Amino acid sequence: MVKLGLDDTVEVLKTAGESTRLRLLALLSRGDLTVTDLTDILGQSQPRISRHLKLLAEAALIERYQEGAWAYFRLRHDGAAVSLARLLLDRIDGSDPVLSRDAERLAVLKKARAEKAQAYFSRNAAEWDELRRLHVSDAEVEAALLGLIGEQPVDAFLDLGTGTGRILQLFEGLYRRGVGVDASRDMLAVARANLDRAGITKASIRHGDIFNLPLERDEFDVVTIHQVLHFLDEPDAAIAEAARMLRPGGRLVIIDLAPHEIEHLRDEHAHLRLGFSHQIVEDWLEQAGLALEKTIDLTPAEGGPQALTVTIWLARDQRPAEGADGAEPLIAIGGRS
């Protein structure tokens, strides 16, 4: 473990040892937030919050990343400085009135975002496939997925955020048992209808929260998350929960948008994130205990202001796979396909 010298330790303590900055660290330890989010929660001006964030970044306690016109901040994952800050946060009484109020306001903010996304899914459940085709070439993505995952049979397949159930249909010949989970009952109705129409009886659809799945851990061979993360307030938490579902040696496949600047997707299509960089997803996978094996970028042949690149990440649970029958574990966290 890298340790701090005396002067560096004093600087970290001076930076973190101010009430507003300590409140910011506590909030950012719970997820990525924008300056607007933080000003709403703390009730302070944007210039004041920005100045505190700058000091925290200079002390290597937080990091900033850009998504279109929005800048997100998050607590750094590693480093001697942030390790010291985490020790301070662990020692703070969570029932402190100021921190409790901050946590309540954060919960309200996240609830409002989730309700906005849920309302959007409910309004558009029946026409989701048509909306997706406006932005992404599904045929190209599906061909890449089939090539990446391969044809070796697996026992249990999980599709998170299953949407219309398209991923369950695509891999129907691969798994013995398939499960699709979605939070929208309207989406579940569409998925069930599509599976019935396709005559697929070995896949079941369940209502559930992607952050707290109604399933046993270590149960699935493959999990796919297809075009789901950009709707979530805490995509890293969803990845961690998906990883918990994997059997030893199991694979997680994430399909989502690369970074872009199409701002209207926030308001018109409930996108909370304008795509994800290779690095940030790799960081999240590592935090979840998974090893990234391959990354594929699929760029539209015809560019333009609405042309979105899709990225596929393949990661694996590092525990030795059980048994010696050669079957590859596959878990699919399916997207709103």
Side-chain angles (χ1 to χ4, degrees):
M1 176 184 294
V2 178
K3 295 186 177 181
L4 292 169
L6 177 62
D7 291 343
D8 290 336
T9 300
V10 171
E11 284 303 313
V12 171
L13 291 174
K14 286 171 58 179
T15 302
E18 191 275 339
S19 60
T20 295
R21 290 196 287 274
L22 199 54
R23 291 168 69 188
L24 289 170
L25 289 173
L27 288 167
L28 294 175
S29 70
R30 301 186 179 205
D32 304 2
L33 297 167
T34 66
V35 173
T36 300
D37 295 334
L38 294 167
T39 56
D40 289 345
I41 294 170
L42 271 65
Q44 299 184 19
S45 69
Q46 183 169 329
R48 179 179 173 83
I49 294 296
S50 295
R51 181 171 61 83
H52 285 306
L53 290 171
K54 182 175 183 293
L55 292 172
L56 291 170
E58 290 174 348
L61 294 173
I62 67 171
E63 55 189 356
R64 176 187 186 277
Y65 63 94
Q66 195 77 24
E67 287 184 7
W70 291 23
Y72 280 85
F73 295 84
R74 61 175 179 172
L75 201 64
R76 280 185 175 270
H77 299 307
D78 48 39
V82 75
S83 295
L84 178 57
R86 288 184 187 277
L87 284 176
L88 294 175
L89 293 174
D90 288 341
R91 295 297 185 273
I92 298 177
D93 184 356
S95 63
D96 176 87
V98 174
L99 294 181
S100 294
R101 186 169 64 251
D102 289 348
E104 290 171 1
R105 289 174 176 170
L106 176 61
V108 170
L109 182 147
K110 290 185 175 182
K111 181 181 179 182
R113 287 178 174 175
E115 289 176 347
K116 179 180 177 181
Q118 191 65 40
Y120 170 73
F121 295 143
S122 297
R123 288 196 308 271
N124 296 287
E127 53 182 326
W128 186 261
D129 286 332
E130 181 178 350
L131 289 172
R132 279 282 316 283
R133 282 192 289 270
L134 295 175
H135 309 295
V136 176
S137 170
D138 288 334
E140 186 177 359
V141 172
E142 291 177 2
L145 279 175
L146 290 168
L148 185 65
I149 291 173
E151 300 178 352
Q152 206 164 26
V154 298
D155 179 59
F157 184 97
L158 175 63
D159 185 34
L160 300 181
T162 197
T164 64
R166 174 57 188 163
I167 294 294
L168 291 173
Q169 296 177 63
L170 182 66
F171 290 103
E172 186 266 339
L174 192 71
Y175 56 83
R176 183 186 64 83
R177 177 175 65 94
V179 178
V181 178
D182 205 292
S184 168
R185 297 190 184 279
D186 294 293
M187 281 292 190
L188 294 177
V190 173
R192 290 191 178 100
N194 287 340
L195 293 177
D196 288 343
R197 192 177 301 113
I200 298 174
T201 59
K202 60 181 180 178
S204 61
I205 303 296
R206 298 184 61 177
H207 181 263
D209 181 356
I210 197 171
F211 300 110
N212 186 20
L213 294 168
L215 303 165
E216 295 295 325
R217 67 177 303 144
D218 299 345
E219 188 177 352
F220 295 91
D221 301 303
V222 178
V223 176
T224 60
I225 308 176
H226 185 205
Q227 300 292 12
V228 171
L229 295 184
H230 59 257
F231 292 108
L232 304 181
D233 190 65
E234 297 180 272
D236 55 330
I239 290 175
E241 180 69 354
R244 194 174 69 86
M245 297 293 106
L246 284 171
R247 288 173 177 164
R251 292 178 289 168
L252 171 62
V253 183
I254 298 172
I255 308 97
D256 218 293
L257 301 176
H260 63 87
E261 297 182 357
I262 306 178
E263 288 286 344
H264 72 80
L265 293 182
R266 294 192 196 274
D267 296 326
E268 296 179 18
H269 294 286
H271 288 207
L272 292 181
R273 303 297 185 92
L274 296 185
F276 302 95
S277 68
H278 288 187
Q279 187 61 55
I280 195 168
V281 174
E282 185 174 356
D283 287 348
W284 289 338
L285 291 170
E286 183 178 348
Q287 290 173 51
L290 304 180
L292 179 66
E293 292 194 341
K294 191 168 186 178
T295 304
I296 299 174
D297 287 320
L298 301 174
T299 303
E302 296 182 5
Q306 299 298 310
L308 299 177
T309 294
V310 171
T311 302
I312 303 175
W313 293 268
L314 170 65
R316 188 181 294 271
D317 182 289
Q318 293 301 284
R319 295 170 295 172
E322 298 174 351
D325 57 4
E328 288 281 1
L330 175 66
I331 297 184
I333 301 179
R336 309 228 164 232
S337 313

